[in-house]
Amino acid sequence: MKAAQIRDTLKKNTMLIALVVVALLFQVLITANDKGSLFHPMNISNLISQNSYVLVLATGMLLCILTGGNIDLSVGSVVALVGAVAGIMIVNHHMNIYATIFVCIILGTAIGAWQAFWIAYVRIPPFIVTLAGMLLWRGIAQVVLNGLTISPFPKEYKRLFNNFIPGDADKSTIFLVTMIVATVICLLVVGLSVAGRIKKIKKNYTVESIVEFILKNVILCAAIIWIASRLGQYKGIPAVLIIISVIVLVYGYITTNTVPGRYFYAMGGNEKAAKLSGINTNNVLFAAYTNMGFLSAVAALICCARFDSAYPSLGTSYEMDAIGSCFIGGASAYGGTGTVTGAVVGAIFMGVLNNGMSILGIDANWQKAVKGIVLLVAVIFDVLSKQKKSSK
């Protein structure tokens, strides 16, 4: 590989490299202070479970940001309201779990569509609409719950999100099944990568060098196998990881391989130019915020199962976690730039920061300060990069 190619590769994977460096740094500090290991199987499993809602919300928030640096401040309140409705229906009225999940998904999507209408077609700034939504939906959630916590949720419901695969089995079986699943995933990843490369070559697209291609796939498969080995030594693959993986894969495919997905980038790059090229930018905005409501409902259902309760303060600051994950993961504050993979890396980065600082016993207030600095640095890096490009 040439020096220029190495620089480009490092630049493309800056946050991924930063994630590895920060994780290793925490591992050294935690080991030095005799507080266990950041890479302990239970910690890896908890990292996935504790940040599952962030991964879901960050995926939806990315689409909003792509449309022009817009954000949704109401997602935490939507999580609270949907969670409250789920608690009332399942715990208080003992309604069918699957019917309740369907109603909650429809409710979250309807809330997203309501806000999307004012943003997309009336053109009220997203900040104002979602700020109003943050207050409105939180207030309604508190009214629905009457200020009380609803719990516990039935085991059948919690099993959908908190279970592990393969479930109740001896340790050797759990490890074997987990590694088989990881191997299958690696084969699929390599197969899809090869097929994608062949397709690009046939269409005369520029592709990375064969060395870079092989190295990328080897590192990715090694990471999958390593994570699987950690999970296999604990309880297996968390059910919520499968839900997250499906969401990430679907949205990753939509944004990179479909025409509607590219509309988000086109609108964020230059809305007027996108309009002139025939893109209905109003519909793009409407889709982004309606989808955000849908994913907020999914996050609410996951949170209710994880906390085994629905309570008035559920979802507080969740919007900040989602927004921070997107910007840290490489999304531009101006829109038009960012990937689902980057948002996932950003969410994991935030999770590692939280987990590492918690294990070290760092005060919660300092944890917030550190996350704030990291977010600011990420946005400064984005702004300076854009200024440097425009000056050339």
Side-chain angles (χ1 to χ4, degrees), residues 3 14 23 32 70 78 81 125 144 177 180 218 228 242 252 291 346:
T14 302
N70 302 310
V78 176
L81 178 55
V144 169
V177 171
I180 289 173
V218 168
I242 297 173
N291 174 73

Side-chain angles (χ1 to χ4, degrees), residues 14-354:
T14 302
M15 280 314 303
L16 193 57
I17 295 168
L19 171 61
V20 173
V21 170
V22 168
L24 292 174
L25 176 62
F26 273 123
Q27 173 66 10
V28 170
L29 291 173
I30 290 167
T31 305
N33 285 277
D34 197 25
K35 293 193 174 184
S37 170
L38 180 68
F39 302 138
H40 188 278
M42 185 176 70
N43 284 339
I44 298 295
S45 185
N46 287 341
L47 181 66
I48 294 168
S49 299
Q50 290 168 3
N51 294 280
S52 54
Y53 75 89
V54 183
L55 290 161
V56 173
L57 293 176
T59 303
M61 191 67 72
L62 175 69
L63 299 187
C64 297
I65 292 171
L66 287 177
T67 60
N70 302 310
I71 57 174
D72 188 337
L73 295 174
S74 68
V75 293
S77 298
V78 176
V79 167
L81 178 55
V82 173
V85 171
I88 293 290
M89 293 179 70
I90 294 176
V91 179
N92 290 2
H93 297 290
H94 308 288
M95 294 182 67
N96 180 272
I97 291 170
Y98 298 101
T100 300
I101 290 174
F102 178 75
V103 169
C104 289
I105 293 294
I106 294 298
L107 174 62
T109 307
I111 291 172
W114 163 260
Q115 295 186 151
F117 169 78
W118 299 108
I119 293 168
Y121 300 116
V122 184
R123 286 293 175 158
I124 299 174
F127 182 88
I128 300 300
V129 174
T130 58
L131 178 61
M134 180 174 71
L135 301 172
L136 173 62
W137 311 126
R138 177 71 63 184
I140 294 176
Q142 291 175 340
V143 169
V144 169
L145 291 172
N146 197 26
L148 304 174
T149 297
I150 296 177
S151 66
F153 278 74
K155 290 181 181 178
E156 293 77 13
Y157 175 78
K158 289 186 287 185
R159 239 185 244 122
L160 295 174
F161 303 98
N162 291 345
N163 207 4
F164 290 85
I165 296 171
D168 296 328
D170 58 85
K171 289 186 176 181
S172 59
T173 302
I174 290 173
F175 186 81
L176 178 63
V177 171
T178 305
M179 295 310 294
I180 289 173
V181 171
T183 303
V184 171
I185 291 171
C186 286
L187 291 174
L188 286 172
V189 167
V190 173
L192 290 171
S193 295
V194 171
R197 182 181 174 84
I198 293 171
K199 187 177 178 181
K200 287 180 180 178
I201 291 172
K202 284 182 178 179
K203 292 183 177 181
N204 295 319
Y205 291 166
T206 303
V207 295
E208 69 265 51
S209 66
I210 188 66
V211 175
E212 186 180 349
F213 176 78
I214 293 171
L215 188 63
K216 182 178 73 175
N217 280 280
V218 168
I219 292 172
L220 182 57
C221 289
I224 292 170
I225 294 294
W226 180 79
I227 291 170
S229 69
R230 300 277 89 187
L231 295 175
Q233 292 173 41
Y234 185 53
K235 294 181 179 179
I237 302 169
V240 73
L241 179 59
I242 297 173
I243 297 170
I244 295 167
S245 299
V246 170
I247 290 172
V248 169
L249 289 173
V250 168
Y251 282 87
Y253 179 82
I254 289 171
T255 53
T256 57
N257 294 290
T258 68
V259 174
R262 304 310 296 177
Y263 286 170
F264 293 100
Y265 292 92
M267 181 179 175
N270 190 321
E271 184 175 352
K272 288 183 180 179
K275 271 186 178 181
L276 291 172
S277 66
I279 297 172
N280 190 324
T281 54
N282 289 348
N283 287 350
V284 174
L285 263 179
F286 185 83
Y289 281 90
T290 301
N291 174 73
M292 191 70 254
F294 164 73
L295 289 179
S296 295
V298 174
L301 295 170
I302 291 172
C303 288
C304 286
R306 179 171 173 263
F307 298 124
D308 193 19
S309 62
Y311 50 94
S313 61
L314 178 65
T316 301
S317 297
Y318 281 14
E319 58 277 352
M320 300 306 169
D321 292 332
I323 294 166
S325 298
C326 291
F327 287 136
I328 290 170
S332 172
Y334 302 106
T337 303
T339 62
V340 172
T341 305
V344 170
V345 170
I348 296 172
F349 189 94
M350 296 278 279
V352 169
L353 279 180
N354 287 332

